[in-house]
Amino acid sequence: MELYDIIFYLFAAITIISAVIVVNARNIVHAAFSLLLTFFGVSGIYVLLGADFLAVVQIMVYVGGILILLLFGVMLTNKITNVEIRSGSFQVLPAIVGLAAFAAILFGVMTSTNWKSQSFEIANTTSFELGKLLISEYVLVFELLGILLLVALIGAASIARRDKE
Amino acid sequence: MFENLLTDISLILPEVIVSVTLLLLVLVDLIFNKDKSIIPFVGLIGLFFALYFAINGLNINSTAFVVSAANNDYGLLTIDSFGSYFKVIILITSILIILFAKNSLEIKNVSERSGEFYTLIFGMILGMMFMISASDLIMIYLSVELLSLSSYVLAGFTKLRDRDTEASLKYLVYGAASSGIMLFGISIIYGLTGNTNLFIINDVFKSTSINVLAYTFSIILIFTGIGFKISAVPFHFWTPDVYEGAPISVTAFLSVASKAAGFALLIRFFKTTFLLKEVSGSWILLEGFDWQSFLIIISILTMTLGNFAALWQDNVKRMLAYSSIAHAGYMLLGIAVLSDQGLLAVMIYFLVYLLMNIGAFYIVMVISNQINSENLNDYNKLGYASPFLGVSLTVFLISLTGLPPTAGFISKLYIFISLIDANMIFVAVIAVLNSVVSLYYYIRILKHMFINESENEVPQLKVAANEIVFILILLVPTLVLGIYFSPLVDFAQNCLAILVN
Amino acid sequence: MEVGLNHFLTVSVALFSLGLYGVVTRKNAVMVLMGVELILNSANINFIAFSKFGNFSIDGQLYALFVIILAAAEAAIALAIVLNIYKRFANVNVDEINNLKE
Amino acid sequence: MSEFTNINLSLIVLLLPLFGFFIVLFFGKKFPKLYLAEVGIITLAFILSLVIGYSKLSTYLHQDILFSFTWIDFGNVPNLGNLHVDLGIKIDNLTVIMLFVVNLISMLVHIYSIAYMKDDSRYSRYFAYLGIFTFSMLGIVLTDNLLMMYIFWELVGLSSYLLIGFWYEKQSASDAGKKAFLTNRVGDIGMFIGILVLFTNYKSFSFDFIYAQIASGNLPFGSEAWLTAAGILVFLGAVGKSAQFPLHVWLPDAMEGPTPVSALIHAATMVAAGVYLVARIFVMLTADAMLVIAVVGAVTSLFAATIALTQNDIKKVLAYSTVSQLGYMVMALGVGAYTFAFFHLVTHAFFKACLFLGSGSVIHSMHHEQDIREMGGLKKKMPITYYTFLISTLAISGIPLTSGFLSKDGILAGTLAFGQLTGHWLIPIIGFSVAFLTAFYMFRLVILTFHGSPRNHHKYEHAHESPFVMVMPLVVLSTLSIFFWYTPNPISPDASWFTSNWITTPQTVVPKSASFDFMINESVESSSHNSHEEIIHSEKYTHAMHWAHYPAMIMSLIVAGLGILLAFTMYQWKKISPDKIADSVKALYKGSLNKWYVDEIYAKSFIGGTIKLGDILSWFDKWIIDGIVNGSAYVTKVFSKISGLFDAYVVDGLVNGTALFSGFVGFNFKKLQTGKVQTYIVLVVFSIIVLFFIIGPF
Amino acid sequence: MNGIPILSLITFLPVIGMILILFMPSKMAREIKITSLIITFLQIILAAILLSNFNYSAGGIYEASSFQFVEKFQWIKITGLSWIGTVKVDYFLGADGISLPMLLLTALVSFIAVISSWSINKSVKGFFALFLLLDTGMMGVFVALDFFLFYVFWELMLLPMYFLIGIWGGPRKEYAAIKFFIYTLFGSVFMLLVMIALYFSASETLADGTTVFTFNLLTLMDPTNYTTNGILSPLNPNNYRLAAYIALFVGFAIKIPMFPFHTWLPDAHVEAPTPISVILAGVLLKMGTYGILRISFPIFPEITKDLSYYIALFGVINIIYGALVALAQKDFKKLIAYSSVSHMGYVLLGMASMSTTGITGAIFQMFNHGTITAMLFLIVGVIYDRAHTRDINSFGGLANKMPVYTFFVTIAFFAAIGLPSLSGFISEALVFVGAFGVEEIRVLTMIGTLGILLGAAYMLWTLQRIFFGEFNKKWDDVLTDITFREYAMFIPLTIIIVFLGIYPSAMLDIMNASVNSLVEFLAKNAQGFTLSGM
């Protein structure tokens, strides 16, 4: 199935390249938008993995929610064109060295492992299954997430709102 | 599917009550937006209920929220007396912390937001309680996140000084990164076993052979997340900064409760996941990952670093932060013994640690309320300004050092007992030497309070009645348990049961 | 060659590393957060890929879902804190906010 | 009188002075006349001792009166049986004679002091000290065991310390006191170890018990060497007390004390205690031990005599002559002339006390002038003092009709016999030369002090005869230096009451193989040990003594005469100028004048060395040990410094991971806490890698 | 005796006093002082009662039956789960011939110390509260027969001591105090480990037939109680007994203080206020040697035997070294401090002999050193209160100015020198007698006798420099002869020193039975335990 491969490589390329831009872009807005691309790429990969519903959620939540938040953050906190993007915490070199080593180990581990696989037919339509699980077995998690969102909301509000002096 | 939902809920009544109280608080906050002074009481009532049910549940052992996909009867949560014990600790701590916060000037200054404050505190409590009983990696991750998110905010809650804002940012970045790493580790485990339920994972590990590289690596990644919570070296870096920056009541809460939750999580995680079999109280773990030496390395690093770094601190809060790191080291030793005896030691330790640490923090808070400083040099001669505070702080610090006749001695004693019983003599020697070092900085505080001459005149300290009561509540047990510790140990001994395969 | 699990894992590893790199090296707090998002995404890819290729039932996707939601909440809090920082320090440069040390 | 009464009497005699000491010490301030009580007490004690002496010598001549009680009881000691320490009293002839001597002289000195110390601020304290001294001295005399001997030995040392340093405002006085005490301690350590040796072996301190054990062949640690060692070690105590070479240095300095004290303690009694001790342990001395003792004595006597030649301080001369005479006695014991040694002890006690008191009266009248070059011609001014002094001088020089002649003659005969029997001729030679020197310097003293014309007229004018209380003792003592008290026959010591029946050489308990053969009497089987057999010397020895008798007498007369003659020619008739001689042998003269520099040597070597060592050690203690022990703190600091620099210059440039490393090594964790959250994360990543490689399967 | 828990009384009486004092307003300084005086006096009464009811023939040491005034009841009993076993701690007090002298000493010295702390005016309340707490700690150590209890009391003293030195001390008080604290804690943590290790090595059988681990010292002494595989069990071929012994010994040696762990002592003494120096030298130092006698010796007899040579060696080093260093001191108090280093050396030497005479001498020396050194420090205090300097060379000729003072000083000094007829002599002599009797350490003993000489040297030198010679006019108006209060401190001590010098049996008979049974026990087990034990 040639096409599958091509599409995969396409999305993979989009994802990774844009991700590289995200972490290196001089202009923060560029970074933000390449992040958008990354999310698209990832959702594409989801589709390839047969997680259609998740792909949609990915687009909606990330692109529709998180990214916008980030952009707001950018707007509120930054002059768009600020050149200095590298953190002065330390030289870049050691970071790269360390992270490269880390990435190498990670890669080695991930690729050299024989991952578990078992015979179990996956449903072709995921949304129903997910919904069912969500309100049955994982109802606890569902509720928990609800509370979590509430807390996050309150927390964010209480911190971000400018209190009256 | 739903038929056992009610039983499941009945098993997690404390959690339920806490979450209900949380929602209640939100409402109360909206309704009484004029006078918010009743909010803490609402919280207290909720907590007392929760505590009541937690104590009731002390001897229940079962699983809850079974995931049928795993086609067996392991659930997201495991309710056992071990968990309930820690829940009790968490709840007691929370009650104390709420009383604590009520008297804390920092919190009073932002009273108009106290609704949010307590809501977030409850968010933390809820997170901790789920951490304690979670037996599913996803559950673990989510509860950790719940705890973290609330505490990020709380660390910077009072936007009064630069330092707490900064604390919250650091906490956030650090926490986000390490929880991300943890999540990745979880995903690897998921890949290896096809499941996230600790019991099933345990089965898989027992039955099939696992690629040891991925296995080890994922464990370390997960431990990064847990280590971040219990601030074990080398994952502790956030601790001093955040502890120093955060409001003192939050610091106290983090240093006791979230640490306790982290330990409970750690213990349950590795005991449930990696236990091969249990022989007369000592745990035989699976091959492949040498938990013992791993924990010993971590703990020795932790206590040594904690103690030696504390030597240099001039800010009392920061010093206590390092001291709490050191204590985490001792407790990790208790775990490293890999036996119920070590577990017992850790559980005793936590109960005692709760008393003495909150006590110390509380007094620091009372003092900083009045002299508005946590710097050691401003403590000169304060012991005379208020002998009561001086003496009680002395007792707490001596207990933290671990000298008789205080409860601190008992907790250390049990750690050493478990170590020597396990023939880990070398480690024990390092540990005792560490406690000698620790004496030096604890005594430093006393030195400033009683011995050093203060260049500017000594400020007057007024101690309110309720403060005295609060301190006594912590002080008396610290002394009594030091002299007569049977009840303490008995209580802990009855809660050793951890539900495993 | 046949696209298999390892390809997806490679992507996720790449994302993870890049994300970590971003977290560690970017000066701007918002950028750091972007890095965090990348990390979470990589984990998600893992979950879904494993559940697909290992035929583990659909739970994997569910976990990913949880993670996404959680990411959203985290982002919200994070942004709030960043704004707060900005109010105090008039910038959001992570490396310059280091009064608490030693 | 029953033994019981004797014991009680002796106990009373012993305790009376102590009682006196306490009352005078504590109430002396309130009742300034209380010292008279002390004098009375001593007089009483003297009378009592006369009584005891009479009853002992009349009733129990050949029998000791013993009394002892358990002082410390250790109960039933594991694998040893009952162990207890006894104290007790033993009254034999030695004891009673010593009792008499001590009490008599003590009494006289008390009386003498009434006038001599009249205008002293601490008058009553002085008498108190005399009391405690007398008490301790009597203790030494009465004891029947080594422990009690040692105890009173030390107490005597204490009282001597107090009395020498009596005028402690004077630096020299307090120095002298200290010196005396410490020098004695040196000897005492030896004595103590000796006692330890004996006790360890016999689990008892009692003389008789120990001797019985030795006699029954049970040697210390089963070897004769240890027996010799024990003897010599105990003798070291005597070396200290009796100022034998090389521990003689304290005695001359002790003259810083009041003169009566010098007479009592440092001439007559305390210094003689050493001799008494040796006499007590005489029976357990092996041949080697005796030889050592003899040599030490001989050396001492010669050494001191040579110094005495050139001294100009009247008391110094007497002091060195005392040292010399003590050496004589010790030598005598060494050569086995037991009886004569003790005899000389007694006679010497009298005439030397007389000499000292005489010098005291001179000093008194000369307003505390002690330099004989300032004196002269005092004969006319103070005749009684002069004549008593002269008699004593004749006695010490060994001129016939004096007590000194008898005892000295006996000793010299003993040395001759010893020389003849063992071939150690050097000892008799030294003996005679010392006799010569003694005669010379004593008469030099007399002449320079009393004869000729006054050299310091101013002082001479004020000089006057001393009051009765001071003169009386002089008279008594000088008369005691005449022969008839001791023997009907003025030329033969053998006929004296002492030598004939009171004091007889005790039977040695040393195994034959280890003792001089002449010490054993074949006729008496050595097992039966009784110190009051008839003369128990071997035939050979008695023969030797007889052979040596007349030669000794004649030679001693000759040397003494020569000495006196020389003295007169030099100082009376001025035929030979002393200065000329001094110039001709400058080195020797200087040496003798400066006491052969012994003090200087000690000061440089032992004392200086010890103090230096102390300084060094205290430095060591302050800096090294303390440094090491709480060094950890420094180490930490140093490390943190180092790793601090390290961080500053290396880490930031290189990998932060090394900061982690250096942090752990250097205990300087501050450096890790850079405050930059991203650094932290990097550190975490590094730690993960490190941990992975530590724990991972590699 | 008839049911009265007299040991508990004598131990916890001070705590009662402390509580009383804590409830007094700090203005009532005088009342506070009087209270503590009464308390300590009551202690003396109790001690006297103990003495009068003491059975001289009872051995004690290793057999519970022959201990006296025993109080024993279960303090902690946690019937744990199978694999932890029952944790049991007894409240077990008792006295025998070794502890009674120490009890008497503690009572006496505390009383004297209270008198001498009359001059304390800085936050009196705190001082006496801490002082009494310290008192309890000291008493407790001497009566505890359960290792756990012993340890608790042992540590209980540290904190009060720290504050007493740190707050009421001299210029470098902080340094001295922390040094004392760290040193002692360093020692005692090892003791803690050994204690736990012992706990796991021996077990006792309760009345109900269950065998449990125990901290009971007497049980630990009995070889039959050891489990075959306990890490400190002699039956275990590869046990850690030697290491444990050394660790324990270091813990005690620091308190003694034994060279080279002695350096905290001069600092602590020089900085501490007089009463605390008195306590420190009078009682605290004894705890080290007492601990060795009570714990190290009977529990590790065979190792004691093996190491006795080294104990003696260190003892002799202490004697000589301490004396030499003392010789070099310019500071009166430092000199005394080093002198007590030297004197404690005798104790070590005596114990090392493991013979009746030696150990008797050692204990007696402990007592005598307690009284004599206490007196010496009081003497320093007197002069320091008046002149506010301790520089020996700045004085001179005090004998005329302060005759009575000089009188007491002379007695104390000569007692320290070991002059016969004063108590010091007896103990030193016994020590030497005992030590000389042992072949291996005979030579060491001979070297040790040099201590007699050196001791005399520095003492007499000091006496001369301070009291003889010309009087330094500078002090003319400050230096007055001693007051009534000082009489009250000196006279009892003097009487005891002289009395025990003349009639030592008064004290020796108390120890006799115990020492004999100790020696017997050591001799019996020194060859190493056998299963039959006896």
Side-chain angles (χ1 to χ4, degrees), chain D residues 71-74 77-78 122 150 154 158 168-169 171 174-175 178 185 199-200 614-615 621 625-626 629-630, chain E residues 175 179 183 259 262-263 321 324 328 338 356 399-400 417 420 426 433 436 452 464 469 502 505 508 512 516:
Chain D
W71 188 39
I72 302 173
D73 187 349
F74 290 104
V77 175
R122 293 189 291 276
Y150 183 79
E154 292 291 319
L158 168 69
Y168 48 70
E169 295 84 348
Q171 180 68 21
S174 58
D175 279 340
K178 193 177 70 193
R185 269 273 161 134
F199 183 83
T200 311
D615 292 342
D621 195 68
I625 297 189
D626 211 6
V629 174
N630 52 19
Chain E
Y175 171 69
K179 196 171 177 181
Y183 253 97
F259 176 94
H262 62 284
T263 48
Y321 183 87
L324 283 173
Y338 276 108
T356 301
N400 287 342
I417 291 174
I426 312 289
V433 168
F436 195 85
I452 308 177
Q464 178 188 22
I502 295 164
S505 303
L508 296 184
N512 240 324
N516 281 333

Side-chain angles (χ1 to χ4, degrees), chain D residues 194-239:
Chain D
I195 296 175
L196 285 180
V197 173
L198 293 171
F199 183 83
T200 311
N201 285 280
Y202 305 118
K203 302 292 173 238
S204 162
F205 291 110
S206 149
F207 292 118
D208 296 346
F209 182 82
I210 293 174
Y211 299 157
Q213 287 290 318
I214 300 177
S216 65
N218 169 6
L219 300 180
F221 305 116
S223 79
E224 289 167 354
W226 269 109
L227 184 57
T228 314
I232 294 172
L233 283 167
V234 176
F235 168 67
L236 282 178
V239 174

Side-chain angles (χ1 to χ4, degrees), chain E residues 350-486:
Chain E
M351 294 193 306
S353 76
M354 295 173 74
S355 69
T356 301
T357 36
I359 294 181
T360 312
I363 302 172
F364 194 37
Q365 171 75 356
M366 281 154 75
F367 186 91
N368 294 336
H369 177 260
T371 46
I372 295 169
T373 314
M375 190 154 170
L376 290 173
F377 277 111
L378 292 171
I379 283 163
V380 180
V382 168
I383 196 170
Y384 185 68
D385 290 346
R386 287 160 171 70
H388 301 293
T389 174
R390 291 184 305 250
D391 176 12
I392 294 176
N393 297 328
S394 69
F395 295 104
L398 266 56
N400 287 342
K401 189 75 180 164
M402 318 168 69
V404 187
Y405 179 57
T406 312
F407 169 74
F408 287 116
V409 173
T410 320
I411 289 183
F413 274 28
F414 275 97
I417 291 174
L419 183 82
S421 81
L422 297 176
S423 58
F425 165 73
I426 312 289
S427 45
E428 286 178 20
L430 286 177
V431 164
F432 283 123
V433 168
F436 195 85
V438 182
E439 182 85 42
E440 304 80 47
I441 61 175
R442 188 163 290 141
V443 179
L444 283 174
T445 315
M446 294 193 194
I447 300 169
T449 47
L450 279 179
I452 308 177
L453 176 63
L454 295 170
Y458 62 75
M459 278 301 183
L460 292 186
W461 195 23
T462 315
L463 196 62
Q464 178 188 22
R465 281 182 292 177
I466 294 184
F467 295 93
F468 300 157
E470 279 308 310
F471 179 70
N472 181 345
K473 283 279 160 285
K474 178 167 64 171
W475 309 121
D476 209 3
D477 41 6
V478 289
L479 286 182
T480 54
D481 211 334
I482 61 178
T483 64
F484 171 74
R485 182 170 63 82
E486 288 155 347

Side-chain angles (χ1 to χ4, degrees), chain D residues 272-392:
Chain D
V275 181
Y276 179 78
L277 173 66
V278 181
R280 273 275 174 237
I281 63 164
F282 183 76
V283 295
M284 59 165 274
L285 293 176
T286 61
D288 308 356
M290 284 177 74
L291 189 58
V292 170
I293 292 172
V295 170
V296 169
V299 170
T300 310
S301 55
L302 181 60
F303 190 81
T306 53
I307 297 174
L309 292 175
T310 55
Q311 299 305 311
N312 292 322
D313 182 322
I314 181 168
K315 286 183 71 177
K316 280 272 160 57
V317 177
L318 291 174
Y320 279 104
S321 88
T322 313
V323 177
S324 164
Q325 293 303 309
L326 290 165
Y328 236 60
M329 302 173 205
V330 172
M331 177 177 67
L333 284 164
V335 299
Y338 176 87
T339 42
F340 295 110
F342 186 72
F343 188 18
H344 193 60
L345 192 165
V346 175
T347 55
H348 171 266
F350 293 136
F351 56 66
K352 185 50 67 68
C354 178
L355 287 170
F356 264 108
L357 293 181
S359 70
S361 106
V362 170
I363 293 165
H364 190 61
S365 68
M366 297 288 286
H367 302 96
H368 296 280
E369 174 56 65
Q370 300 196 3
D371 189 335
I372 47 177
R373 285 166 300 188
E374 299 294 303
M375 302 175 179
L378 288 171
K379 191 159 113 193
K380 294 173 216 54
K381 281 277 185 182
M382 34 203 324
I384 310 174
T385 311
Y386 168 64
Y387 285 110
T388 52
F389 200 92
L390 184 61
I391 294 169
S392 313

Side-chain angles (χ1 to χ4, degrees), chain D residues 604-679:
Chain D
K604 284 271 173 302
S605 57
F606 300 117
I607 303 159
T610 315
I611 290 178
K612 189 74 4 305
L613 184 60
D615 292 342
I616 293 167
L617 283 184
S618 71
W619 179 88
F620 178 73
D621 195 68
K622 188 141 170 277
W623 296 112
I624 308 303
I625 297 189
D626 211 6
I628 288 169
V629 174
N630 52 19
S632 61
Y634 304 123
V635 174
T636 314
K637 287 206 179 59
V638 172
F639 261 124
S640 59
K641 282 276 168 299
I642 293 168
S643 60
L645 300 173
F646 190 67
D647 282 19
Y649 298 111
V650 189
V651 176
D652 296 351
L654 255 171
V655 188
N656 299 52
T658 45
L660 185 71
F661 179 72
S662 75
F664 287 155
V665 172
F667 293 135
N668 182 6
F669 305 106
K670 296 166 74 171
K671 284 282 175 284
L672 296 176
Q673 215 66 31
T674 58
K676 297 176 180 172
V677 64
Q678 289 166 315
T679 317

Side-chain angles (χ1 to χ4, degrees), chain D residues 15 116 138 231 282 288 312 329 366 435 456 461 575 611 686:
Chain D
L15 294 178
Y116 189 87
L138 293 174
F282 183 76
D288 308 356
N312 292 322
M329 302 173 205
M366 297 288 286
N456 180 332
E461 295 315 317
K575 289 279 176 292
I611 290 178
F686 274 107

Side-chain angles (χ1 to χ4, degrees), chain C residues 7-96:
Chain C
H7 294 72
F8 291 95
L9 294 184
T10 315
V11 175
S12 84
V13 168
L15 272 187
F16 184 85
S17 316
L18 287 168
L20 206 52
Y21 177 74
V23 171
V24 169
T25 54
R26 297 315 295 258
K27 185 187 193 68
N28 184 314
V30 182
M31 309 285 248
V32 172
L33 295 176
M34 295 182 183
V36 173
E37 300 302 340
L38 289 183
I39 293 177
L40 296 179
N41 271 286
S42 74
N44 278 353
I45 294 177
N46 278 355
F47 275 120
I48 297 172
F50 283 134
S51 75
K52 169 88 170 14
F53 288 89
N55 298 334
F56 295 152
S57 88
I58 200 163
D59 297 7
Q61 297 192 14
L62 201 56
Y63 303 154
L65 184 57
F66 296 150
V67 173
I68 292 172
I69 298 165
L70 202 134
E74 196 167 66
I77 298 246
L79 262 300
I81 289 174
V82 169
L83 288 180
N84 198 19
I85 288 282
Y86 186 70
K87 267 194 238 134
R88 285 236 150 256
F89 296 84
N91 70 49
V92 290
N93 297 342
V94 181
D95 56 333
E96 292 161 11

Side-chain angles (χ1 to χ4, degrees), chain A residues 116 136-137 141 158-159 161, chain B residues 68 113 116 142 159 192:
Chain A
K116 186 172 191 287
S136 61
E137 292 162 3
V141 181
S158 77
I159 276 224
R161 79 150 184 246
Chain B
S68 68
R113 295 193 290 131
E116 288 100 334
L142 292 180
K159 304 176 281 186
L192 289 169

